């Protein structure tokens, strides 16, 4: 049975949360701004509010109206939750501080909130983002347990320890190969923090190994961040944008993949606008197409993707992911035979005979020169 409804009951002296089944139908300044101080005071005010069968979006709006505050929910929240903004919830707040009530919603949905100037900003937690897609309710429930259940000892056998702690014999922890001495040091770092929530133990363990952890079904994977990024970049996407700011496209790719893209200074000035046409091509293929068309380069780091452009004087890091000797020079849409769905095949320079490649290069230079002079030539079908 699917679940898309959450019952949240919060009352003075008793905090009760229960999952229900239903078929789907911070400023950094040392001196806080006056608006932020006022908002903190309002979060301490008690609130009584009852909502039934409302969407998560409507619930946040109702809370904001009742408490006379501004709540900003990042779109990434809905991208991570099982039913997005169609998730239905029941909430009952009975004379409790607003911050306490909101925090219980955050805990149940594995979200985070922060005060920024005049707004309460709600975002997905890092562990929720690392699922890399919309979480299932089972994954959300497991993540909630990892955040709440306290671990008091660590033997180093993560699968056995978590099976006992959570009383779930099907949980499996998959660890990338590591040196025994490094694992021993990581376990020692975990033990120094115990007792603490399981998620905090996993954070300490993976940070010691310079890795990350993430959920997939009933498995917890511990591996280098770069491996997770490559996995996310292999996801197919549908993205069609014409003559739009590169910054907008990068933001869209980040939202679709959950990956942090970091541009080098000057990138958006060097490449202000781009065209993107991906019909079930992977994010990696999209990056390759952008590279061939604009000279953008990318490098997969431990926990982000560095974006730059060829000959950008601000670049201090060489690109190791894009082979500049074999750039993308074209794209061929191939029908799949399933409705109007088509696959975009990206053509690299090595796929084209040298004579034809020279002709394409000459034609491209001709068009670029014409654009620069203000006279775009008429395009005729290739013969």
């Amino acid at each position: 049975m699917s679940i898309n409804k959450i019952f949240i009951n919060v009352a003075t002296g008793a905090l009760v949360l229960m999952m229900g089944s239903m078929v789907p139908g911070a400023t950094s300044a040392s001196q806080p701004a006056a608006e932020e101080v006022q908002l903190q005071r309002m979060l301490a005010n008690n609130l009584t509010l009852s909502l039934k069968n409302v969407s998560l979006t409507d619930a946040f709006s109702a809370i904001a109206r009742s408490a006379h505050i501004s709540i900003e929910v990042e779109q990434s929240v809905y991208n991570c939750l099982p039913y997005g903004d169609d998730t239905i919830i029941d909430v009952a707040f009975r004379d409790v501080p607003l911050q306490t009530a909101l925090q219980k919603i955050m805990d149940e949905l594995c979200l985070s909130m922060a005060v920024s100037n005049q707004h309460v900003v709600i975002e997905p937690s890092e562990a929720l983002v690392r699922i890399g897609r919309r979480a299932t309710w089972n994954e959300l429930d497991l993540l909630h347990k990892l955040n709440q259940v306290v671990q008091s000892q660590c033997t180093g056998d993560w699968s056995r320890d978590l099976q006992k702690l959570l009383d779930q014999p099907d949980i499996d922890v998959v660890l990338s190969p590591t040196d025994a001495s490094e694992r021993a040091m990581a376990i020692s770092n975990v033990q120094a923090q115990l007792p603490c929530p399981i998620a905090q133990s996993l954070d300490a363990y993976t940070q010691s190994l310079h890795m990350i952890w993430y959920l997939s079904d009933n498995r917890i994977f511990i591996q280098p961040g770069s491996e997770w990024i490559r996995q996310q970049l292999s996801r197919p996407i549908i993205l069609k944008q014409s003559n739009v700011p590169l910054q907008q496209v990068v933001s869209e790719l980040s939202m679709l993949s959950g990956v942090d893209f970091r541009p080098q200074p000057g990138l958006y000035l060097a490449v202000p606008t781009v065209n993107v046409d991906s019909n079930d091509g992977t994010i990696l293929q999209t990056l390759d197409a952008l590279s061939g068309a604009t000279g953008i380069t990318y490098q997969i780091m431990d926990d982000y993707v560095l974006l730059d452009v060829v000959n950008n004087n601000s670049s201090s890091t060489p690109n190791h992911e894009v082979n500049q000797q074999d750039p993308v020079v074209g794209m061929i849409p191939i029908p799949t035979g399933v409705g109007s769905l088509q696959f975009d095949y990206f053509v690299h320079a090595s796929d084209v005979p040298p004579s034809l490649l020279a002709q394409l290069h000459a034609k491209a230079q001709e068009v670029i020169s014409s654009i620069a002079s203000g006279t775009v030539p008429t395009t005729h079908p290739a013969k």
Side-chain angles (χ1 to χ4, degrees):
M1 178 177 291
S2 300
I3 302 174
N4 81 325
K5 187 172 182 178
I6 300 176
F7 301 92
I8 301 177
N9 189 345
V10 184
T12 301
L15 302 176
V16 182
L17 286 90
M18 177 171 56
M19 299 285 293
S21 297
M22 179 179 178
V23 176
T27 61
S28 60
S30 59
Q31 186 68 29
E35 295 88 351
E36 183 173 325
V37 172
Q38 177 62 22
L39 180 54
Q40 292 283 11
R41 290 172 179 166
M42 297 178 74
L43 287 171
N45 292 337
N46 283 6
L47 178 69
T48 297
L49 180 66
S50 179
L51 302 170
K52 285 192 175 184
N53 291 318
V54 298
S55 70
L56 187 60
T57 303
D58 290 341
F60 281 130
S61 296
I63 293 169
R65 287 195 303 270
S66 298
H68 306 291
I69 64 171
S70 172
I71 299 178
E72 292 186 358
V73 184
E74 298 290 339
Q75 179 59 42
S76 54
V77 167
Y78 301 121
N79 295 337
C80 291
L81 293 178
Y83 288 95
D85 53 4
D86 290 329
T87 300
I88 303 300
I89 68 172
D90 286 356
V91 298
F93 303 150
R94 295 192 294 275
D95 198 29
V96 294
L98 174 60
Q99 183 154 358
T100 300
L102 285 174
Q103 189 59 55
K104 296 309 294 186
I105 297 177
M106 300 301 101
D107 293 343
E108 190 70 20
L109 295 176
C110 304
L111 306 176
S112 66
M113 70 176 182
V115 173
S116 178
N117 295 325
Q118 304 176 56
H119 314 286
V120 173
V121 180
I122 297 177
E123 300 175 324
S125 65
E126 187 173 344
L128 183 58
V129 169
R130 281 182 178 162
I131 292 177
R133 50 171 167 73
R134 283 194 174 184
T136 65
W137 278 109
N138 286 337
E139 289 169 337
L140 198 63
D141 181 53
L142 176 55
L143 186 55
H144 176 256
K145 291 177 180 177
L146 295 177
N147 288 327
Q148 300 298 316
V149 176
V150 174
Q151 183 175 3
S152 57
Q153 62 178 353
C154 178
T155 67
D157 187 339
W158 282 100
S159 292
R160 186 179 64 179
D161 287 350
L162 298 192
Q163 287 168 5
K164 289 183 177 180
L165 275 170
L166 302 175
D167 192 24
Q168 291 185 221
D170 59 340
I171 289 180
D172 186 24
V173 179
V174 182
L175 174 63
S176 291
T178 54
D179 182 79
S181 61
E182 293 178 344
R183 290 199 304 272
M185 179 62 71
I187 293 171
S188 177
N189 289 338
V190 171
Q191 291 171 338
Q193 297 195 30
L194 298 178
C196 65
I198 297 172
Q200 185 177 329
S201 295
L202 287 168
D203 286 341
Y205 186 77
T206 53
Q207 287 168 10
S208 297
L209 297 174
H210 305 289
M211 294 186 179
I212 64 167
W213 65 272
Y214 68 93
L215 295 180
S216 182
D217 297 324
N218 60 345
R219 309 178 84 184
I220 299 174
F221 290 85
I222 297 177
Q223 64 183 36
S226 57
E227 290 185 17
W228 177 83
I229 290 176
R230 288 186 177 90
Q231 177 179 299
Q232 291 303 105
L233 296 184
S234 67
R235 294 177 58 186
I237 60 171
I238 296 178
L239 181 61
K240 298 181 183 293
Q241 303 279 4
S242 299
N243 196 32
V244 296
L246 173 60
Q247 185 173 4
Q248 177 180 326
V249 172
V250 170
S251 177
E252 186 79 10
L253 292 177
S254 180
M255 184 180 68
L256 290 169
S257 65
V259 173
D260 180 15
F261 289 90
R262 300 184 188 178
Q264 282 280 26
L267 174 64
Y268 295 143
L269 291 177
V271 186
T273 60
V274 294
N275 298 324
V276 180
D277 187 353
S278 176
N279 191 355
D280 264 3
T282 67
I283 298 174
L284 196 62
Q285 289 174 322
T286 303
L287 290 172
D288 283 340
L290 286 172
S291 174
T294 66
I296 293 173
T297 65
Y298 63 93
Q299 181 180 7
I300 297 176
M301 313 299 283
D302 285 340
D303 55 359
Y304 65 93
V305 173
L306 180 68
L307 297 178
D308 203 354
V309 64
V310 175
N311 297 326
N312 185 356
N313 293 330
S314 67
S315 176
S316 59
T317 307
N319 174 54
H320 300 297
E321 298 297 327
V322 176
N323 184 354
Q324 294 302 325
Q325 302 303 317
D326 193 20
V328 173
V329 296
M331 183 187 75
I332 302 174
I334 303 175
T336 64
V338 181
S340 61
L341 184 65
Q342 66 180 27
F343 176 78
D344 295 334
Y345 177 77
F346 295 92
V347 181
H348 291 77
S350 61
D351 299 324
V352 182
S355 59
L356 177 57
L357 187 62
Q359 294 178 33
L360 292 173
H361 180 73
K363 185 65 176 178
Q365 292 301 317
E366 176 186 335
V367 173
I368 292 172
S369 299
S370 300
I371 293 175
S373 64
T375 57
V376 181
T378 302
T379 302
H380 298 285
K383 298 181 179 179

